[in-house]
Amino acid sequence: MLSVFSSPGHYVQGRDATAALGGELARLGIGGPLLIVAGPSAVRLLSEQWDRSLTEAKITYTVHRFGGECSRGEIARITAAVQEQGSAAVLGAGGGKVIDAARAVAADLELPMISCPTTASSDAPCSALSVIYTDAGEFEEYKLVARNPALVLVDISAVVQAPARLLTSGMGDALATWFEARTCVAGHVRNMRGGASTRSAVALAELCYRTLLADGADALTAVETRTVTPALERIVEANTLLSGLGFESSGLAAAHAVHNGLTAAPRTHPFLHGEKVAFGVLTQLVLEGAPAAEISTVLAFCASVGLPVTLAALGLDDADRDTLSAIATRAVAPGETIHNEPFEVTAPLVLDALRAADALGRKTSDL
């Protein structure tokens, strides 16, 4: 098995980074017309800077308002807009679902993709993976495309304007990176690109975890006060770049499969990807029989940044056995990443791990 490391072509991060968008595209040889797929916050925060930067670079563009869900229907609508405009590239601006949809369209049409997250809410911006949902918000499939984004541009001035909950969600997603990476590497499992992990990918995954523990709480305070600090810069990099490279080039395991299982319960749909992944991390550690000290560290971190550690915190306070069984069954569906664990994982095992993780979380919440 060959070792494979994947990454975007370029990564740019900093205050008012959007002002450099036109110049960065020109440097990469990407011209117009450009279709910008954008959520409402991206339009509000960045439209003036898009106009200045892209006009200066003589790049024409059109904005497509994102429909809210990275579903097949929305992907079809964006595809039609690209074809109507004759766009030469697709830019996704906003949260993870916007970027995932833009990536899927660009891949289908074999066009360059540019990723401009306005939140640090997930590790979607750097990867070549789109998560496809139904229109109702239930996980459907992972769509792995041929190329990572040509450019990832992260404007910290926009990120700091986003609700603090989104940064917390990004930390939940990033929290899984190290634990899933080490499981996949130890089991010699193929990564998301079909190859073995590299030492650099594992090192980035571990650095991601250490950065979360060191800077997570301070970065959250920065966003709550809308101040750009070194701690916030480091957490944005961890949530976006370190987690993106770490998961894609090392692999996913139980934590993300539990997230996918949780989407089978409609009451979890209002909760964010990273919030559900964080509970998936706790469930994975229970499933693997991780040391109590390690689980305690994860619980303490989650508490410090407001990540959910109980089923009640995900809207499942009175979930019956049938609901939990449906979650567990979805988590172990054929092809799920939970089967990268080094032992056979069944629905009854996951059901018990969910309940045990919930009990640990409740005990921590009561302290």
Side-chain angles (χ1 to χ4, degrees):
M1 182 164 54
L2 298 175
S3 296
V4 178
F5 183 90
S6 288
S7 69
H10 294 268
Y11 182 87
V12 178
Q13 173 184 313
R15 284 181 189 260
D16 300 319
T18 305
L21 176 61
E24 289 293 329
L25 293 178
R27 186 167 63 85
L28 293 171
I30 298 174
L34 175 68
L35 186 82
I36 299 177
V37 183
S41 63
V43 173
R44 176 174 54 85
L45 293 169
L46 300 177
S47 58
E48 291 184 9
Q49 293 189 64
W50 289 335
D51 196 54
R52 285 196 298 269
S53 183
L54 295 173
T55 299
E56 185 177 325
K58 299 181 180 179
I59 297 173
T60 60
Y61 70 97
T62 303
V63 176
H64 172 91
R65 299 294 185 109
F66 182 61
E69 193 61 75
C70 182
S71 63
R72 296 187 186 280
E74 179 62 17
I75 289 169
R77 284 188 288 274
I78 299 169
T79 299
V82 171
Q83 292 173 328
E84 181 181 342
Q85 298 296 327
S87 304
V90 182
L91 185 152
K97 290 187 176 184
V98 180
I99 290 168
D100 277 0
R103 176 179 13 255
V105 170
D108 288 344
L109 299 177
E110 298 183 347
L111 297 174
M113 187 267 174
I114 301 96
S115 181
C116 295
T118 55
T119 72
S121 60
S122 77
D123 52 22
C126 289
S127 79
L129 184 75
S130 288
V131 184
I132 310 299
Y133 295 86
T134 65
D135 288 327
E138 185 173 342
F139 171 82
E140 187 170 303
E141 68 168 339
Y142 291 122
K143 178 183 177 70
L144 189 63
V145 304
R147 291 182 291 182
N148 293 74
L151 169 67
V152 177
L153 188 144
V154 188
D155 192 329
I156 297 291
S157 301
V159 171
V160 79
Q161 300 297 317
R165 182 185 175 193
L166 296 178
L167 185 77
T168 295
S169 176
M171 288 191 273
D173 199 17
L175 180 63
T177 306
W178 165 239
F179 296 109
E180 293 186 297
R182 74 178 186 185
T183 293
C184 292
V185 170
H188 303 286
V189 172
R190 292 181 185 273
N191 63 22
M192 306 305 290
R193 306 302 286 174
S197 183
T198 59
R199 293 179 66 199
S200 56
V202 178
L204 292 171
E206 187 174 13
L207 176 60
C208 180
Y209 179 55
R210 289 194 280 110
T211 303
L212 293 174
L213 297 184
D215 293 314
D218 289 342
L220 185 59
T221 299
V223 168
E224 289 169 343
T225 57
R226 294 193 172 181
T227 54
V228 177
T229 66
L232 177 61
E233 291 269 12
R234 291 191 290 268
I235 286 297
V236 170
E237 182 183 345
N239 287 7
T240 310
L241 182 64
L242 298 179
S243 183
L245 298 180
F247 99 80
E248 188 168 30
S249 294
S250 292
L252 300 177
H256 274 79
V258 171
H259 161 277
N260 297 342
L262 286 165
T263 69
R267 280 186 290 168
T268 70
H269 291 180
F271 295 90
L272 301 174
H273 174 83
E275 293 172 334
K276 286 175 275 196
V277 170
F279 189 76
V281 172
L282 183 57
T283 305
Q284 176 177 324
L285 293 176
V286 169
L287 194 66
E288 294 176 342
E294 185 170 66
I295 293 176
S296 294
T297 298
V298 169
L299 284 168
F301 168 74
C302 289
S304 74
V305 297
L307 283 167
V309 294
T310 65
L311 290 169
L314 291 171
L316 299 173
D317 47 320
D318 58 350
D320 56 25
R321 190 176 183 87
D322 286 346
T323 299
L324 296 181
S325 293
I327 292 169
T329 299
R330 178 63 190 82
V332 300
E336 262 299 350
T337 58
I338 204 165
H339 301 300
N340 287 338
E341 296 291 333
F343 47 86
E344 183 182 1
V345 183
T346 62
L349 276 179
V350 175
L351 176 59
D352 285 346
L354 287 167
R355 297 175 64 192
D358 179 59
L360 288 170
R362 283 189 281 110
K363 188 178 295 184
T364 299
S365 300
D366 291 340
L367 294 179

